[in-house]
Amino acid sequence: MNDLILAFEVLLAVYKDGAYSSIELNKRVDGASNRAIVTRIVYGVLQNDVKLEYYLSKITSKRPSKTISVLLKLGLYCLTYINSIPKYALVDSIVDICEKYGKRQLKGFVNATLKNFDAANIPLPENKAERLSVCASAPLWLVKKYIKQYGYEECEKFLSVPTFTKEHIRPNSRKISLIELKNKLDENKVNYLESEAGGVFVDNCAFVKKMCEAGKVTIQSVTSMYAVEAMEIKEGDLILDLCSAPGGKSVLMSELTKQTVTACDIHEHRLDLIRAYARRMGVDNIQVLLNDACKLNKDFIGKFDKTLCDAPCSGFGVVSKKPDIYLNSSEEKIESLSQIQYEILSNASKYTKNRIVYSTCTLLREENYNIVGKFVKNNPDWKVVSHKQYLPDGKGTDGFFIAVLEKIV
């Protein structure tokens, strides 16, 4: 019962107050008797939000209040996916939570709704896009865009990949090599799978956490490392990371050049994240600066050899790791993000002598190919050298876009 209350309180904060699920979980999960089940329920509800909304629309004649909707989603998810809690006990617990949160008059409604629910008896939509939206639990407007850009079969494929649970870690070259890391993992009987990016996939066990805390390794996705690889950094290159927080790419780039990497972000608290990351990794050649990437900084003009623009984006490529992304998404926000992304890339071109890497962790052309295409059309002194859209594969690769641009001499 207590674990269900904790899960409900986290979800209520996310749905009603716009809180981040990871932060709310970290604040509350220590009070759980079973941390794993609370985490699974919270992320499970968020990952299946569109599907649960569909179920609600089919089993209720009128849209419940937000609090009751969250409570019912919690119940529907557990009834469908959590087999360790008996159905009668689960329904009783949800009804008790209903009373605890001052909705005593709705106990009967909640009780009847959950007792009568059976996912198997709810027909899926006949329309292919609507059906895929429900089955993949992705917003319908986004599914329609994906189908238009990738085709139905490809869209269905990447929306249906299983959640990848392992972490990708890389060695801190200042302290340990990849060979030494693999030997350490072998000695401590930690299973791993080597990646093409120069790291390994592991379960985030106590030994891995200890190595992370010591700054010998760090968690960094393969696609994040591919973006840095695309910079083709040579020793002595002056590097600018325009949208750096939390700092993983800046730290990796600092290992590749003996010069100072300039790492920027727009908010002071995000700069603190970069500083903390650098301290943990033992980095002393990163200059952390407060800077709005959308505004031209005259002090940066012509100063850097290479610039990384890991632009703010919708984040749809990493939604499996951040399941509340869909809750706050809309077509209007994509349009707004596209304008920001173009401004950042345009400013970067004024700071950079040789190469720009533009990257996002999303799948939409509006944030990727269209931005780069518009830029080179309006800036004939720059050309696209390469571009690649990574799709989620369920094996450790996120949805990610990387384009390399070079100045024409």
Side-chain angles (χ1 to χ4, degrees):
M1 171 66 173
N2 183 58
D3 287 351
L4 283 174
I5 292 175
L6 282 174
F8 173 68
E9 289 175 343
V10 172
L11 290 167
L12 201 60
V14 172
Y15 279 103
K16 289 192 74 173
D17 304 326
Y20 291 109
S21 56
S22 57
I23 294 174
E24 285 300 310
L25 268 172
N26 287 335
K27 283 163 52 176
R28 301 172 189 265
V29 78
D30 284 341
S33 59
N34 188 331
R35 295 166 58 102
I37 194 69
V38 172
T39 301
R40 180 184 170 191
I41 290 172
V42 168
Y43 282 124
V45 171
L46 294 173
Q47 287 168 342
N48 288 276
D49 179 74
V50 173
K51 184 182 292 184
L52 296 174
E53 281 282 352
Y54 177 75
Y55 288 161
L56 273 181
S57 72
K58 297 300 180 183
I59 61 177
T60 58
S61 58
K62 183 180 178 182
R63 172 74 182 180
S65 68
K66 184 155 284 189
T67 298
I68 295 300
S69 293
V70 174
L71 189 57
L72 287 173
K73 286 179 183 180
L74 171 64
L76 297 179
Y77 174 79
C78 291
L79 287 170
T80 307
Y81 298 101
I82 305 295
N83 299 321
S84 58
I85 307 174
K87 181 176 180 178
Y88 72 88
L90 174 66
V91 173
D92 287 347
S93 295
I94 297 295
V95 171
D96 287 343
I97 295 173
C98 181
E99 182 173 18
K100 175 180 171 66
Y101 278 82
K103 307 294 182 180
R104 186 174 184 178
Q105 73 278 15
L106 295 173
K107 286 172 59 179
F109 166 73
V110 170
N111 183 65
T113 301
L114 294 179
K115 282 187 174 178
N116 294 330
F117 170 71
D118 184 353
N121 290 330
I122 298 179
L124 292 171
E126 293 184 6
N127 178 273
K128 288 179 70 175
E130 292 177 5
R131 188 187 313 124
L132 181 56
S133 170
V134 171
C135 291
S137 203
L140 180 59
W141 68 267
L142 181 60
V143 170
K144 288 180 177 179
K145 280 186 176 291
Y146 282 160
I147 292 173
K148 184 177 180 180
Q149 294 179 16
Y150 293 98
Y152 183 86
E153 290 185 2
E154 188 66 46
C155 176
E156 183 181 37
K157 182 180 176 182
F158 69 71
L159 282 176
S160 304
V161 296
T163 299
F164 189 73
T165 58
K166 293 185 181 298
E167 297 282 10
H168 185 260
I169 61 172
R170 70 166 183 86
N172 179 354
S173 63
R174 291 179 170 90
K175 299 182 179 181
I176 190 173
S177 68
L178 180 58
I179 293 176
E180 289 170 329
L181 169 58
K182 291 191 291 184
N183 289 338
K184 288 284 187 183
L185 294 173
D186 287 334
E187 290 169 10
N188 287 272
K189 297 181 172 55
V190 177
N191 293 325
Y192 64 86
L193 177 65
E194 191 168 351
S195 75
E196 295 181 357
V200 294
F201 293 107
V202 294
D203 290 318
N204 198 354
C205 60
F207 178 72
V208 170
K209 289 179 181 177
K210 184 178 178 181
M211 292 195 75
C212 280
E213 290 168 358
K216 292 183 178 179
V217 303
T218 193
I219 296 172
Q220 188 163 16
S221 70
V222 293
T223 45
S224 173
M225 293 181 68
Y226 290 155
V228 172
E229 182 182 314
M231 292 281 285
E232 293 189 1
I233 294 172
K234 298 179 178 63
E235 188 174 315
D237 279 341
L238 289 175
I239 303 298
L240 172 64
D241 188 351
L242 264 180
C243 308
S244 178
K249 297 181 187 70
S250 286
V251 167
L252 179 53
M253 290 189 291
S254 76
E255 296 176 34
L256 304 175
T257 178
K258 299 299 183 183
Q259 298 293 329
T260 297
V261 172
T262 301
C264 302
D265 219 284
I266 191 172
H267 298 297
E268 187 63 47
H269 71 276
R270 292 178 63 80
L271 299 184
D272 289 339
L273 296 176
I274 304 171
R275 296 184 184 105
Y277 201 129
R279 282 195 301 270
R280 179 173 63 84
M281 298 290 280
V283 174
D284 60 4
N285 63 325
I286 289 183
Q287 180 185 31
V288 181
L289 296 178
L290 187 68
N291 180 70
D292 184 349
C294 291
K295 297 179 180 178
L296 185 67
N297 186 330
K298 293 181 180 179
D299 293 335
F300 285 178
I301 293 176
K303 181 177 179 180
F304 301 96
D305 296 304
K306 297 172 182 176
T307 296
L308 175 63
C309 296
D310 189 47
C313 68
S314 60
F316 293 145
V318 293
V319 73
S320 64
K321 299 174 183 176
K322 300 177 180 179
D324 32 7
I325 282 175
Y326 283 156
L327 298 184
N328 303 307
S329 66
S330 68
E331 290 187 80
E332 292 73 25
K333 287 187 178 181
I334 299 304
E335 292 178 10
S336 177
L337 280 169
S338 297
Q339 294 174 10
I340 291 170
Q341 290 154 353
Y342 183 79
E343 289 171 1
I344 290 173
L345 182 55
S346 296
N347 286 334
S349 69
K350 297 175 177 64
Y351 307 149
T352 314
K353 301 173 186 175
N354 301 321
R355 171 174 289 225
I356 297 172
V357 170
Y358 175 83
S359 64
T360 68
C361 54
T362 191
L363 311 174
L364 289 175
R365 293 188 67 93
E366 290 89 333
E367 300 181 77
N368 295 335
Y369 291 107
N370 292 3
I371 300 298
V372 173
K374 178 182 176 181
F375 173 76
V376 293
K377 181 180 179 180
N378 293 336
N379 296 271
D381 54 333
W382 285 87
K383 64 179 179 180
V384 177
V385 176
S386 65
H387 53 79
K388 184 167 183 178
Q389 177 70 67
Y390 294 89
L391 299 176
D393 64 0
K395 300 176 182 177
T397 298
D398 298 323
F400 207 86
F401 177 80
I402 299 173
V404 178
L405 301 98
E406 286 187 352
K407 198 161 192 176
I408 300 172
V409 180

